[in-house]
Structure formats: structure tokens, C-alpha cells
Amino acid sequence: MRNKKKQKRILAFLVALIIIFAGATGALAYLFKTENEKAIALKSELDANTLTVYVASTYITGGDTISADGDNPNVIQQQIRTGLDSMAYISEEELGQTALVDIPEGQPVMYNMVTEQKFDKDTRNYEIAVANLMVTQANNDYVDIRIMFPNGEDYLVLSKKKVMNLYLESNVFTTECNEEEILRFSSAIVDAYTTTGAYIYTTKYIAVDAQEDATPNYPVRAETLELIQSDPNVLTTAINTLNLSARLSLESRLSGLTQEELEAVASGLSLADTAGGTVLQHDTSNEEATELDMDADVDTNADESEEDKND
């Protein structure tokens, strides 16, 4: 009887032990499965946030060309962990573009750090405040800036310039110009100011990507030409615009215009007379004032002489 009771106890203990073991095994299996799922999810998340991007392999200075091969490569491909989309970084398509900012060694090259636009070391933001703008002018337009003279001759001064920071109500915008372009446009400003009927205006590109920029053909003033040739800051040369004989020929043709023709052009373009007319008017006023002074002096001297005779 005791043996049977003892056997039942042993059997109950074994059953309980088996149940406990089975429960522990299930719990362990569940924990393992959960941890495995977490590991898989974490790996998937890490893989999703791992990108192969171009990283600066040396210090890149703003204005340098981005290159991955050749004699002087400055970027290499490297895997990084990031939460940003791949579109935030440059791809192979952006190789050959220009750095807008300095990029330290080891830093991933972002898409907004480069531009396909080529610019010289002497390129600056320049304010255009004298060109007559189109009524449909808008920021990010690309325009040619031209000058028309009263004899009908029309020249291209600046080619394919991007309109930025536009204030249409004030007729002002900024664009990027190098030293030679600034001097060339300054010459055109002097022409527009001193030549009655000269008119600076913009024309807009229809399809920027499909249309190549034209070559400026405006003949600069002789004084500007001398400055361009002597200025060490001028790093570019536009041969077609630096033509002294063309400039002299233009001035010869302009000098053949009559005053009536100049006034007609100014009236047709609703232009006020420019500095040339103002100076002439000022000189005429001075001459008239001088003549009046001389007449007054003559009258005074005559009166004094008459008084002397009476004495």
C-alpha cells in the first residue's frame, strides 16, 4: 500500500516536472522568437537606413569641381547610416558639378552643396537696377540683357543671366556676374545715361535647358576696354565684346543722328532726356546767365560813365 502511494507521488512529481519543463521551454521559445523578430526588424531598419553615398576624400573648396576619378579625385563612395532619403545626397549624375560651399574631408556631399552652373573665382552677386524688365518677369527666369541705340542698332550685353531676388515694382533684381561682365555692363550703363534714346532691357529664354547662351556682341567704350586690359582681377575675356574698332564705328554712326531724330526716339520710348541733354541745358543756362551778367555790367559801367561826365 505504501509502495503504491510512493509510486503515485513520484509519478505526480514527474508529471509536474514535465509540465514545468514544457512551460519553461515554451516560454524560452517565445522569448527567442520575440528577440529574433526584434533582431530581424532592427537589421531591416539598419539596412533601410544604410546608403552608399559620395563622401569628400579631401577638403573641397567652394568653386572646385566634384570628381570621383582622374588625377585629382575629391570624393569616394562610402556606406553611411542615415535617416535621410538617397535624393538628399549627390549621385553619379552630379559628378563634374561645382561645389557651392566648402566641404570638410569625410563629410557626405549633399545635393544642395553643388550646382551644375559653372562660375569663375571672380563671380559675384550683382544688382541690376537699370534694365527695363518684362511685365511677366519672375524669379528664376533666365534673361539676356540688351541695349538698343537710337539709330536702331541693338546689342547683347549680358547673356543667359538668372533672375534672383526680384523686386518687379522697383525694376531691380540680382544675378551672378564676373569682373569682365560687370565692367561691360557698366559701360552699357554709361551709354544709356549719356545717349538720348539708348534703352537697356531684358529678353526671357523660352526653354532654358534647350537654348544655349548667346555670345555678347556689345562693343564696350574705349575707357572700359583700357580698364579691362589693365585690371588684374579680370580672369575671363569675351573677344567679341572687346572690339575697339566696332566701338568707334558705333560712335561715328550715333554722331550722325540729328537732334530731331534723337528727340523722336526719346518721345517714342517715353524716355526723359539723359545726362547729355541735361548738361547741354545746364551749359545753356550758364551762358544765358553769363550774358545777363555781362549786360548788367555794361549797363552799370554806362551809368557810372554818365555820372562821371555829369560831375
Side-chain angles (χ1 to χ4, degrees), residues 5-25:
K5 288 182 178 180
K6 188 175 181 179
Q7 289 176 355
K8 287 181 179 180
R9 288 175 182 171
I10 293 173
L11 182 60
F13 176 77
L14 291 175
V15 170
L17 188 63
I18 290 172
I19 292 173
I20 292 172
F21 179 77
T25 302

Side-chain angles (χ1 to χ4, degrees), residues 15 32 110 121 128 152 162 175 189 212 222 227 241 251 264 283:
V15 170
F32 177 78
M110 311 296 291
K121 294 291 186 181
I128 305 293
K162 185 177 181 179
T175 191
I189 292 174
E212 295 183 0
L227 178 59
T241 70
E251 291 181 356
D283 290 343

Side-chain angles (χ1 to χ4, degrees), residues 264-280:
V265 172
S267 176
L269 293 176
S270 299
L271 296 176
D273 200 4
T274 52
T278 303
V279 170
L280 290 175

Side-chain angles (χ1 to χ4, degrees), residues 9 38 53 58 61 74 88 99 138 156 187 198 260 283 285 297:
R9 288 175 182 171
K38 288 182 179 180
V53 301
T58 185
T61 303
N74 50 20
L156 176 58
S187 175
E260 289 78 11
D283 290 343
S285 299
D297 289 341

Side-chain angles (χ1 to χ4, degrees), residues 170-213:
S170 302
N171 224 48
V172 176
F173 69 93
T174 59
T175 191
E176 293 176 347
C177 291
N178 59 35
E179 185 75 9
E180 187 268 330
E181 290 174 323
I182 291 173
L183 292 176
R184 190 195 318 156
F185 188 63
S186 298
S187 175
I189 292 174
V190 174
D191 271 341
Y193 187 63
T194 58
T195 306
T196 298
Y199 185 76
I200 297 178
Y201 65 101
T202 62
T203 58
K204 185 164 59 174
Y205 281 74
I206 300 173
V208 176
D209 295 332
Q211 293 177 290
E212 295 183 0
D213 48 331

